[in-house]
Amino acid sequence: MFIVRQLPVFKFDGLIAFCSEIRERYLWHTPIVAGILKDSMFHLLEKRIADAFAAHVPRPVQTEQPKQTSFGEIAVPAAFQLARTLKKPPKVIAAELAEAVGKIPGVASLEIAGNGYINVRLDRGAYAVAALKQEASAGSGTADKVIVEHTNINPNKAAHIGHLRNAVLGDTFVRMLRATGQTVEAQNYIDNTGVQVADVVVGFEHLEHKSAAQVHALIADPAVRFDYLCWDLYARTSQYYAAHPEAIEWRKDTLHKIEHGEGETATLAHTVADAIVRAHLTTMYRLNIEYDVLPRESEILHLQFWATAFEQLKERKAIYLETEGKNKGCWVMPSSAFRQGVEDEASAEDSKVIVRSNGTVTYVGKDIAYQLWKFGLLGKDFFYRLWHTYPDGHKVWASTTEAQTGAPNFGGGTRVYNVIDSRQSYLQDVVVAGLNALGYAAQAEASIHFSYEMVALSPRTCIEMGIELSDEDKKRPYVEVSGRKGLGVKADDLIDTLIAKAFDEVSSRNAEQSEASRRAVATRIAIGALRYFMLKYTRNSVIAFDFGEALAFTGETGVYVQYATIRTRKIVRKFLDSGQAMPDFASVLTAEAMARQLADETCWQCLLDASKMEAAIERAVASGEPSHVARYAFQLAQSFSGFYDKFQVVTEPDAEKRAFLLWLTTYFNQQLERTLQVLGIEVPDYM
RNA sequence: GGGCGCGUAGCUCAGGUGGAUAGAGCAUCAGCCUUCUAAGCUGAGGGUCGUAGGUUCGAGUCCUACCGCGCCUACCA
């Protein structure tokens, strides 16, 4: 069953492992086994209320959440919409509506407020009991597969912070989809035959005069950061081209040899690319990011994916051979295919070249072939070999040209998300236009450019790093830096800096712990801070990377959420340490008892906040916005921090209240841990 | 020129399907550690939501125009 593949998403290694022994002895309130979120309790109530009103209202009923908590939990603005047609004041209509609807299960009362709102107050006791009894559902996932392609770093140098945003966004989206029951395949496309790899090979061969054996030795040398070395070498090669334009011939020659698999140069290119891919996967694994499959450009070439796609494109007349103008001799796609509103003035000059006049295919062409394969429309498949087994047992496969056994089925998705920055939207449009021109309208519709804005550097950070800025750059909110010049912040450097800072903080608070333990804690804090930082911004907001902000451990950060989660665990631990027995929540906390305790407004708001986790994730998936999950996590942590400050759980004298507070703590814990799991953030043992 | 995106507090950003008094974090100021409690909590100040029109009972949100900024608009990937 596909659910097996999804299980790793929800491994509750936090409180659940910590409390496994408690679960043996006492009835744990919520069996946490399945990896799929149940339908949102809150959302179901909203629907029930809308349905109740729908019988009395001639149009779809909308519900909203009031801005002020004192107005109740759900508001129905239907009276405003009816006021015009009925020609009656909204307030009168609202009163009549509320009367007509009568009693709704789970709802305590309907109130008319303002000039016509119907505010709904929920039955707090019933709501709490539902939360208490909520069981993880087995899920109703479909067999349809969603493909998410992300990371896609050119394998010619170390990863930088821009790549981190891509990978964290992509990985979190994968987790979100899996949490809502979908089957997801995470693909990381490797362009191992492009000019970027060629340039590093040129650097090794022509600037460094190194043999393949010598490069091998560099890769094998644990004292050498090969991806960092290539970072510098790539920058040097780019500079050399600028100073010696004739050297561009080296690149052409190298590119040709790589594409045709000729001699030592091609071998060297493969060696370099593979080593860099291993470095990238290691970097990403530090951030809890894993992949299922690595489709590589070299196999797209050798298995003639493009040739097959080319035939289809020609046959369906999606592209044509240009006979005049600047694109003479090229196979091009007319701009009318991928640009709206240019039909009339569409000129051949605007057409997109798919095959160059020398017969070689452009990147977009190969991307069309790849996209066809993702949907199972190419009529061809890669062969696969095991690339790596992660410490948790998960396997990642890479494409290969030789038949091998044991690999799962890859590709053939029904929906495809390409996590690619917004600068490439033009190329993504061309790919989609290709599908459309081939007659695959449904797949074109299901090809989603999951775009995001770039990560630039704040002027302050540029200055800190010794990057020279013009006076006008200094006034900008952000500065885009060039990887070709070797500028930018390397991913591993940032992670190392974060860990070092977290380690100092952890050590100052927990000097008694072993160094290894403190380092493990610091690592989780650093990764949590980094992932949260990359997720807190909406996708189309440019991140002006600033060391000061990225290193912040207070305020709206992953650290804050981790800290709140640790506090939930700590309460349970202290409770057990105090010698008290874990209450049987289900029998102690009846609807009446819940209602008594939830008369306290703070407790009620806490319960509401925590119960909205599923709804928050559903909404984030629907809007394709991982930042919504991050924001929800922060709000939930804030809610708990208030609770933590206001109530004493362990020493609460009243038995019923104590049991209630303890239950609410465990509920908070469950929702926080699940949310962090979706964000790919682990909780340290202590902080 | 065309396409996409952005413009909300001193700074960085949120603001599902138009709705009630526009919210967070940072920074500033004033308080809170014998506690499950300071990577935290409470409070204060801080806003012509780029500008001008329009639609609507109602606009930060939708429409139009304009201003400013960014990215894209390669026989590079």
Side-chain angles (χ1 to χ4, degrees):
Chain A
M1 278 258 297
F2 70 89
I3 284 175
V4 175
R5 270 183 70 78
Q6 292 164 340
L7 273 176
V9 180
F10 275 138
K11 290 171 301 185
F12 285 89
D13 59 341
L15 179 61
I16 304 320
F18 165 72
C19 291
S20 60
E21 163 196 2
I22 303 164
R23 289 175 69 186
E24 299 287 325
R25 284 188 287 154
Y26 310 98
L27 196 64
W28 192 248
H29 72 285
T30 307
I32 303 164
V33 272
I36 298 168
L37 300 176
K38 196 180 162 57
D39 280 343
S40 161
M41 216 163 67
F42 190 81
H43 185 64
L44 288 176
L45 260 172
E46 278 185 315
K47 265 170 66 183
R48 190 189 297 167
I49 289 159
D51 288 347
F53 275 90
H56 306 277
V57 177
R59 58 162 87 192
V61 177
Q62 312 204 330
T63 60
E64 53 190 64
Q65 292 178 38
K67 293 207 165 164
Q68 276 188 51
T69 56
S70 61
F71 290 156
E73 291 72 45
I74 294 168
V76 183
F80 294 112
Q81 296 160 350
L82 293 171
R84 201 170 183 197
T85 48
L86 295 182
K87 297 198 189 313
K88 277 196 274 190
K91 208 163 181 176
V92 175
I93 299 170
E96 289 173 2
L97 257 181
E99 179 69 28
V101 165
K103 227 177 146 38
I104 306 170
V107 171
S109 67
L110 300 176
E111 291 168 15
I112 314 305
N115 41 3
Y117 271 103
I118 301 170
N119 287 334
V120 179
R121 290 186 192 279
L122 301 182
D123 179 337
R124 299 183 177 189
Y127 192 77
V129 168
L132 170 63
K133 290 192 174 153
Q134 187 180 40
E135 293 180 6
S137 80
S140 53
T142 61
D144 290 349
K145 186 201 280 180
V146 179
I147 289 173
V148 179
E149 176 199 342
H150 65 84
T151 305
N152 301 6
I153 313 172
N154 274 308
N156 76 325
K157 61 179 185 302
H160 59 65
I161 50 176
H163 301 129
L164 284 181
R165 185 174 196 186
N166 183 306
V168 171
L169 269 176
D171 181 65
T172 303
F173 192 57
V174 166
R175 290 165 182 267
M176 287 160 58
L177 291 170
R178 285 182 177 156
T180 52
Q182 308 201 47
T183 306
V184 186
E185 182 172 299
Q187 300 186 353
N188 177 6
Y189 177 75
I190 311 294
D191 180 8
N192 58 347
T193 62
V195 288
Q196 302 222 26
V197 171
D199 283 348
V200 171
V201 171
V202 166
F204 277 124
E205 289 192 329
H206 296 280
L207 301 183
E208 298 269 294
H209 304 291
K210 283 200 161 46
S211 66
Q214 285 172 304
V215 175
H216 258 294
L218 283 174
I219 292 169
D221 185 348
V224 174
R225 284 291 314 246
F226 188 69
D227 53 341
Y228 280 32
L229 184 148
C230 289
W231 174 290
D232 294 332
L233 184 56
Y234 178 58
R236 274 178 54 209
T237 308
S238 297
Q239 280 160 22
Y240 191 86
Y241 288 146
H244 308 85
E246 71 282 2
I248 212 81
E249 285 302 317
W250 291 341
R251 173 197 273 175
K252 283 184 189 166
D253 180 54
T254 303
L255 210 45
H256 182 87
K257 285 174 175 164
I258 292 173
E259 284 182 6
H260 294 80
E262 287 171 11
E264 193 171 314
T265 301
T267 310
L268 180 57
H270 260 90
T271 304
V272 169
D274 281 3
I276 300 289
V277 169
R278 277 194 291 276
H280 289 164
L281 261 58
T282 303
T283 301
M284 294 310 166
Y285 188 69
R286 297 179 84 184
L287 293 157
N288 308 321
I289 298 170
E290 298 180 356
Y291 308 92
D292 297 316
V293 63
L294 312 175
R296 304 192 307 172
E297 179 122 322
S298 50
E299 276 71 49
I300 288 187
L301 290 175
H302 292 137
L303 295 169
Q304 313 267 307
F305 273 31
W306 166 243
T308 307
F310 193 23
E311 286 312 310
Q312 288 191 29
L313 287 165
K314 281 193 284 194
E315 194 183 317
R316 314 270 173 95
K317 308 222 182 316
I319 57 177
Y320 68 94
L321 185 60
E322 184 61 79
T323 53
E324 52 192 24
K326 66 166 184 162
N327 294 333
K328 187 179 177 184
C330 299
W331 285 88
V332 303
M333 184 182 292
S335 61
S336 57
F338 53 89
R339 280 282 181 262
Q340 293 168 353
V342 295
E343 208 108 5
D344 298 334
E345 71 239 57
S347 79
E349 302 286 298
D350 295 331
S351 297
K352 178 64 195 170
V353 172
I354 306 296
V355 179
R356 303 182 187 101
S357 53
N358 66 3
T360 59
V361 60
T362 60
Y363 172 77
V364 193
K366 283 179 279 195
D367 219 19
I368 291 172
Y370 176 37
Q371 192 77 358
L372 285 170
W373 169 79
K374 285 183 194 164
F375 282 111
L377 296 172
L378 191 68
K380 276 189 170 178
D381 195 5
F382 296 104
F383 297 108
Y384 303 96
R385 66 190 164 93
L386 185 61
W387 175 271
H388 178 64
T389 302
Y390 289 103
D392 65 6
H394 183 72
K395 289 177 165 58
V396 53
W397 300 75
S399 61
T400 184
T401 50
E402 303 283 316
Q404 290 193 19
T405 55
N409 288 322
F410 294 115
T414 53
R415 222 155 15 107
V416 173
Y417 291 91
N418 295 326
V419 182
I420 301 177
D421 80 75
S422 63
R423 285 173 292 192
Q424 302 203 46
S425 61
Y426 169 68
L427 296 174
Q428 286 291 301
D429 287 347
V430 175
V431 170
V432 170
L435 291 183
N436 263 321
L438 288 169
Y440 301 124
Q443 286 82 358
E445 187 76 17
S447 299
I448 297 146
H449 178 197
F450 197 86
S451 75
Y452 62 94
E453 274 290 349
M454 64 178 169
V455 181
L457 297 186
S458 72
R460 187 173 58 175
T461 292
C462 285
I463 291 164
E464 280 168 10
M465 295 180 66
I467 297 172
E468 284 184 32
L469 294 181
S470 63
D471 283 342
E472 52 184 49
D473 273 347
K474 284 177 189 164
K475 289 177 193 158
R476 292 178 204 269
Y478 53 84
V479 183
E480 188 181 1
V481 293
S482 164
R484 288 158 58 108
K485 291 180 183 162
L487 304 175
V489 179
K490 296 186 191 77
D492 281 309
D493 284 349
L494 176 58
I495 296 170
D496 291 341
T497 306
L498 277 163
I499 290 175
K501 189 185 173 213
F503 185 75
D504 287 346
E505 296 281 342
V506 172
S507 296
S508 72
R509 292 170 167 81
N510 303 279
E512 74 286 358
Q513 298 285 348
S514 74
E515 189 181 329
S517 163
R518 279 179 281 141
R519 187 150 298 277
V521 167
T523 301
R524 288 191 169 189
I525 290 172
I527 299 306
L530 182 52
R531 284 194 66 126
Y532 193 93
F533 179 80
M534 288 296 172
L535 289 168
K536 71 193 275 193
Y537 301 93
T538 51
R539 288 195 280 129
N540 52 12
S541 164
V542 176
I543 295 181
F545 180 84
D546 185 272
F547 266 111
E549 284 175 27
L551 293 173
F553 288 161
T554 61
E556 197 201 331
T557 61
V559 178
Y560 180 92
V561 185
Q562 288 173 320
Y563 192 66
T565 309
I566 282 187
R567 283 172 151 182
T568 62
R569 293 180 180 181
K570 206 189 253 177
I571 290 175
V572 175
R573 190 182 297 146
K574 288 276 183 182
F575 182 86
L576 293 171
D577 285 352
S578 74
Q580 303 181 65
M582 203 71 166
D584 176 6
F585 294 126
S587 62
V588 177
L589 298 173
T590 60
E592 293 73 28
M594 288 287 204
R596 270 194 295 278
Q597 299 304 325
L598 289 166
D600 180 283
E601 205 56 36
T602 305
C603 288
W604 172 235
Q605 290 307 325
C606 283
L607 175 61
L608 265 180
D609 289 342
S611 73
K612 288 178 182 172
M613 184 265 280
E614 292 86 351
I617 291 170
E618 280 167 15
R619 195 155 58 81
V621 168
S623 59
E625 193 52 88
S627 68
H628 290 342
V629 181
R631 296 216 165 247
Y632 171 76
F634 178 66
Q635 284 164 17
L636 185 55
Q638 267 188 322
S639 186
F640 178 73
S641 293
F643 170 87
Y644 191 75
D645 196 60
K646 183 169 177 181
F647 299 103
Q648 292 285 312
V649 179
V650 176
T651 58
E652 167 58 43
D654 181 75
E656 181 184 284
K657 186 169 187 185
R658 190 167 63 244
F660 170 78
L661 294 175
L662 187 62
W663 169 73
L664 192 50
T665 303
T666 62
Y667 188 58
F668 260 123
N669 172 267
Q670 171 194 293
Q671 303 297 75
L672 278 167
E673 303 238 11
R674 284 184 168 182
T675 308
L676 284 175
Q677 200 102 41
V678 173
L679 294 173
I681 295 174
E682 295 176 299
V683 184
D685 295 332
Y686 55 87
M687 281 175 80

